Amino acid sequence: MASAEGVRAAGAQVAAAGTKTVKTSILKVGGKSYLSARVTSTYGVARRFTVKQRVCAARTCRTVDVALTVGAGMTGWQERYLGTGSYRRSGAPHVTATAPPAVPAAPLPVATPTVTVTVRETVRETVTLAPVVAATPTVTVTVTAPPPGTVDTCGAPANAYGFTYCASGARVTTPVTEACVVFDCIDNFSEGRGYLVMCQDGKVSMSGGLDGVCSYHDGWLRDIYRFAV
Protein backbone atom coordinates (compact mmCIF):
# COMPACT_ATOMS: atom_id res chain seq x y z
CA MET A 1 0.00 0.00 0.00
CA ALA A 2 1.45 3.35 -1.03
CA SER A 3 1.86 5.82 1.78
CA ALA A 4 0.75 9.50 1.57
CA GLU A 5 4.08 11.29 1.13
CA GLY A 6 5.60 14.67 -0.03
CA VAL A 7 7.76 17.05 -2.11
CA ARG A 8 11.50 16.49 -2.42
CA ALA A 9 13.99 19.29 -3.15
CA ALA A 10 15.36 18.71 -6.64
CA GLY A 11 19.13 17.92 -6.54
CA ALA A 12 20.53 20.64 -4.30
CA GLN A 13 23.51 22.75 -5.45
CA VAL A 14 26.12 23.53 -2.79
CA ALA A 15 28.86 26.21 -2.86
CA ALA A 16 31.46 26.41 -0.04
CA ALA A 17 33.79 29.39 0.52
CA GLY A 18 35.65 29.12 3.80
CA THR A 19 33.43 31.13 6.12
CA LYS A 20 30.06 30.15 4.63
CA THR A 21 28.30 27.12 3.15
CA VAL A 22 25.44 27.71 0.71
CA LYS A 23 22.88 25.17 -0.48
CA THR A 24 20.23 25.90 -3.11
CA SER A 25 17.35 23.65 -4.08
CA ILE A 26 14.07 23.76 -5.99
CA LEU A 27 10.87 23.10 -4.01
CA LYS A 28 7.61 22.30 -5.77
CA VAL A 29 4.34 22.44 -3.85
CA GLY A 30 0.88 22.37 -5.39
CA GLY A 31 2.19 23.05 -8.89
CA LYS A 32 4.18 26.12 -7.73
CA SER A 33 7.99 26.19 -7.67
CA TYR A 34 10.28 27.97 -5.19
CA LEU A 35 14.05 28.53 -5.05
CA SER A 36 15.29 27.79 -1.53
CA ALA A 37 18.66 29.15 -0.31
CA ARG A 38 20.22 27.81 2.91
CA VAL A 39 23.34 29.56 4.28
CA THR A 40 25.49 28.38 7.19
CA SER A 41 27.85 31.16 8.39
CA THR A 42 31.00 30.83 10.47
CA TYR A 43 31.70 34.56 10.44
CA GLY A 44 32.25 36.06 13.90
CA VAL A 45 29.47 38.62 13.27
CA ALA A 46 26.15 38.73 11.39
CA ARG A 47 26.39 38.99 7.60
CA ARG A 48 23.96 39.85 4.79
CA PHE A 49 24.22 37.20 2.06
CA THR A 50 23.03 37.52 -1.54
CA VAL A 51 22.69 34.18 -3.34
CA LYS A 52 22.41 34.30 -7.14
CA GLN A 53 21.25 31.11 -8.85
CA ARG A 54 20.48 30.58 -12.53
CA VAL A 55 17.19 28.68 -13.00
CA CYS A 56 15.52 27.35 -16.15
CA ALA A 57 11.95 26.48 -17.13
CA ALA A 58 11.74 24.57 -20.42
CA ARG A 59 14.23 26.47 -22.68
CA THR A 60 14.06 29.81 -20.86
CA CYS A 61 16.64 30.65 -18.15
CA ARG A 62 17.11 33.59 -15.81
CA THR A 63 19.17 34.51 -12.73
CA VAL A 64 17.26 34.81 -9.43
CA ASP A 65 18.54 36.62 -6.31
CA VAL A 66 17.77 35.47 -2.76
CA ALA A 67 18.90 37.76 0.11
CA LEU A 68 19.02 36.87 3.79
CA THR A 69 20.82 37.91 6.98
CA VAL A 70 22.49 35.16 9.04
CA GLY A 71 23.83 35.58 12.57
CA ALA A 72 27.34 34.55 13.66
CA GLY A 73 27.75 30.76 13.63
CA MET A 74 24.12 30.18 12.58
CA THR A 75 22.11 28.79 9.64
CA GLY A 76 19.39 30.75 7.82
CA TRP A 77 16.82 29.89 5.14
CA GLN A 78 14.99 32.00 2.57
CA GLU A 79 12.68 31.07 -0.31
CA ARG A 80 11.92 32.90 -3.59
CA TYR A 81 8.77 32.17 -5.62
CA LEU A 82 9.63 31.25 -9.23
CA GLY A 83 6.24 30.54 -10.81
CA THR A 84 4.01 27.62 -11.76
CA GLY A 85 5.38 24.54 -13.44
CA SER A 86 8.75 22.83 -13.13
CA TYR A 87 12.14 24.58 -12.81
CA ARG A 88 15.73 23.35 -12.65
CA ARG A 89 19.01 24.95 -11.56
CA SER A 90 21.79 25.71 -14.06
CA GLY A 91 25.30 25.84 -12.63
CA ALA A 92 26.46 26.57 -9.08
CA PRO A 93 25.16 29.46 -6.94
CA HIS A 94 27.17 32.69 -6.68
CA VAL A 95 27.31 34.17 -3.17
CA THR A 96 28.37 37.57 -1.79
CA ALA A 97 28.54 38.56 1.89
CA THR A 98 28.32 42.10 3.23
CA ALA A 99 27.74 43.76 6.58
CA PRO A 100 24.00 43.99 7.34
CA PRO A 101 22.42 47.48 7.38
CA ALA A 102 23.15 49.29 10.63
CA VAL A 103 20.20 49.66 12.97
CA PRO A 104 20.10 53.22 14.39
CA ALA A 105 20.42 53.27 18.15
CA ALA A 106 17.41 54.49 20.08
CA PRO A 107 17.94 57.99 21.51
CA LEU A 108 18.71 58.12 25.21
CA PRO A 109 16.01 59.61 27.41
CA VAL A 110 16.67 63.20 28.43
CA ALA A 111 16.23 63.82 32.11
CA THR A 112 14.26 66.92 33.06
CA PRO A 113 16.07 68.70 35.92
CA THR A 114 14.13 69.77 39.01
CA VAL A 115 14.79 73.40 40.01
CA THR A 116 13.97 74.55 43.53
CA VAL A 117 13.57 78.31 44.00
CA THR A 118 13.69 79.76 47.55
CA VAL A 119 12.09 83.17 48.02
CA ARG A 120 12.96 85.18 51.11
CA GLU A 121 10.70 88.07 52.01
CA THR A 122 10.52 90.32 55.07
CA VAL A 123 6.95 90.94 56.20
CA ARG A 124 5.33 92.54 59.19
CA GLU A 125 2.64 89.84 59.29
CA THR A 126 2.70 86.14 59.99
CA VAL A 127 2.49 84.29 56.68
CA THR A 128 1.67 80.58 56.40
CA LEU A 129 3.38 78.99 53.41
CA ALA A 130 1.97 75.82 51.80
CA PRO A 131 4.51 72.98 51.54
CA VAL A 132 6.10 72.45 48.14
CA VAL A 133 5.30 68.99 46.76
CA ALA A 134 7.92 67.55 44.41
CA ALA A 135 6.42 65.53 41.52
CA THR A 136 7.70 61.98 41.15
CA PRO A 137 8.39 61.11 37.48
CA THR A 138 6.63 58.05 36.00
CA VAL A 139 8.94 55.56 34.28
CA THR A 140 7.46 53.26 31.60
CA VAL A 141 9.36 50.02 30.82
CA THR A 142 8.70 48.24 27.52
CA VAL A 143 9.45 44.50 27.40
CA THR A 144 10.11 43.07 23.93
CA ALA A 145 9.17 39.44 23.24
CA PRO A 146 12.03 37.11 22.17
CA PRO A 147 12.47 36.78 18.39
CA PRO A 148 11.06 33.75 16.53
CA GLY A 149 13.32 30.69 16.47
CA THR A 150 14.51 31.02 20.09
CA VAL A 151 12.02 28.50 21.54
CA ASP A 152 13.21 25.11 22.78
CA THR A 153 13.18 22.64 19.85
CA CYS A 154 13.82 19.53 22.02
CA GLY A 155 16.59 18.40 19.65
CA ALA A 156 15.05 19.49 16.32
CA PRO A 157 17.26 21.61 14.01
CA ALA A 158 17.31 25.29 15.01
CA ASN A 159 14.84 27.11 12.74
CA ALA A 160 12.75 30.26 12.44
CA TYR A 161 9.56 28.41 11.52
CA GLY A 162 8.66 27.00 14.97
CA PHE A 163 9.25 23.29 14.17
CA THR A 164 10.05 21.27 17.31
CA TYR A 165 10.17 17.74 18.70
CA CYS A 166 8.49 19.07 21.89
CA ALA A 167 5.01 17.57 22.35
CA SER A 168 3.87 20.91 23.82
CA GLY A 169 3.56 22.26 20.27
CA ALA A 170 0.65 21.74 17.86
CA ARG A 171 0.43 18.94 15.30
CA VAL A 172 1.05 19.99 11.68
CA THR A 173 -1.94 18.71 9.68
CA THR A 174 -1.47 20.68 6.43
CA PRO A 175 1.60 20.31 4.13
CA VAL A 176 3.77 23.46 4.38
CA THR A 177 6.83 24.33 2.28
CA GLU A 178 8.77 25.42 5.39
CA ALA A 179 8.99 21.76 6.49
CA CYS A 180 10.96 20.93 3.33
CA VAL A 181 13.42 23.76 4.09
CA VAL A 182 14.22 22.53 7.62
CA PHE A 183 13.90 18.76 6.94
CA ASP A 184 14.34 16.41 3.99
CA CYS A 185 10.83 15.73 2.58
CA ILE A 186 9.85 12.45 0.90
CA ASP A 187 8.12 12.06 -2.48
CA ASN A 188 4.45 13.13 -2.66
CA PHE A 189 4.78 15.19 0.53
CA SER A 190 2.11 17.70 -0.60
CA GLU A 191 -0.41 14.86 -1.13
CA GLY A 192 -0.24 13.71 2.51
CA ARG A 193 -3.52 13.75 4.46
CA GLY A 194 -2.21 12.87 7.93
CA TYR A 195 0.06 14.89 10.21
CA LEU A 196 3.80 15.68 10.10
CA VAL A 197 6.14 12.85 11.22
CA MET A 198 9.77 11.82 10.76
CA CYS A 199 10.54 8.35 9.40
CA GLN A 200 13.34 6.04 10.53
CA ASP A 201 15.49 7.06 7.52
CA GLY A 202 15.34 10.74 8.59
CA LYS A 203 12.87 11.93 5.96
CA VAL A 204 9.61 13.68 6.89
CA SER A 205 6.11 12.74 5.74
CA MET A 206 2.48 13.86 6.11
CA SER A 207 1.37 10.24 6.74
CA GLY A 208 1.12 10.49 10.56
CA GLY A 209 -1.97 8.74 11.94
CA LEU A 210 -2.60 6.83 8.68
CA ASP A 211 -2.23 3.12 7.88
CA GLY A 212 1.18 2.40 6.42
CA VAL A 213 2.87 5.46 7.96
CA CYS A 214 6.45 5.67 6.61
CA SER A 215 5.98 2.17 5.14
CA TYR A 216 8.61 2.79 2.45
CA HIS A 217 11.03 4.55 4.81
CA ASP A 218 11.71 1.94 7.52
CA GLY A 219 8.68 2.97 9.62
CA TRP A 220 7.77 5.82 12.00
CA LEU A 221 10.45 7.49 14.18
CA ARG A 222 8.81 10.54 15.85
CA ASP A 223 6.08 13.17 15.53
CA ILE A 224 7.05 16.74 14.58
CA TYR A 225 5.18 19.67 16.16
CA ARG A 226 5.11 23.40 15.54
CA PHE A 227 4.87 26.51 17.72
CA ALA A 228 3.16 29.64 16.43
CA VAL A 229 5.77 32.14 15.11
Side-chain angles (χ1 to χ4, degrees):
M1 177 178 177
S3 58
E5 320 235 331
V7 176
R8 175 176 303 174
Q13 289 278 358
V14 177
T19 53
K20 59 186 178 295
T21 300
V22 180
K23 175 182 178 182
T24 60
S25 57
I26 300 293
L27 304 178
K28 187 176 182 182
V29 179
K32 297 179 179 180
S33 293
Y34 303 82
L35 174 65
S36 174
R38 173 174 176 166
V39 179
T40 300
S41 173
T42 56
Y43 282 99
V45 294
R47 281 287 183 269
R48 180 73 170 175
F49 293 95
T50 300
V51 181
K52 294 186 177 182
Q53 174 66 62
R54 189 168 177 79
V55 297
C56 302
R59 298 181 179 179
T60 302
C61 297
R62 72 180 193 267
T63 298
V64 177
D65 294 355
V66 180
L68 66 162
T69 300
V70 182
M74 301 184 67
T75 298
W77 299 266
Q78 186 65 42
E79 297 172 17
R80 175 75 178 271
Y81 176 66
L82 299 176
T84 58
S86 298
Y87 284 76
R88 67 183 186 279
R89 279 161 290 90
S90 176
H94 176 73
V95 186
T96 57
T98 58
V103 178
L108 296 176
V110 178
T112 302
T114 300
V115 178
T116 302
V117 178
T118 303
V119 179
R120 298 174 183 265
E121 184 178 357
T122 302
V123 297
R124 296 179 182 277
E125 299 178 357
T126 300
V127 178
T128 302
L129 299 177
V132 177
V133 179
T136 302
T138 300
V139 179
T140 301
V141 178
T142 301
V143 179
T144 304
T150 60
V151 297
D152 184 9
T153 61
C154 293
N159 65 91
Y161 303 112
F163 292 110
T164 177
Y165 295 157
C166 301
S168 55
R171 287 193 187 280
V172 180
T173 58
T174 302
V176 290
T177 59
E178 294 92 337
C180 297
V181 176
V182 180
F183 306 100
D184 187 7
C185 291
I186 62 178
D187 294 335
N188 302 323
F189 176 83
S190 63
E191 299 175 10
R193 296 297 180 267
Y195 53 80
L196 187 62
V197 296
M198 177 173 286
C199 303
Q200 289 285 350
D201 63 357
K203 298 182 181 296
V204 297
S205 163
M206 289 299 298
S207 61
L210 303 178
D211 293 337
V213 54
C214 295
S215 57
Y216 288 94
H217 297 273
D218 302 327
W220 174 90
L221 175 62
R222 61 166 59 89
D223 292 347
I224 300 176
Y225 303 89
R226 191 177 191 186
F227 289 111
V229 295

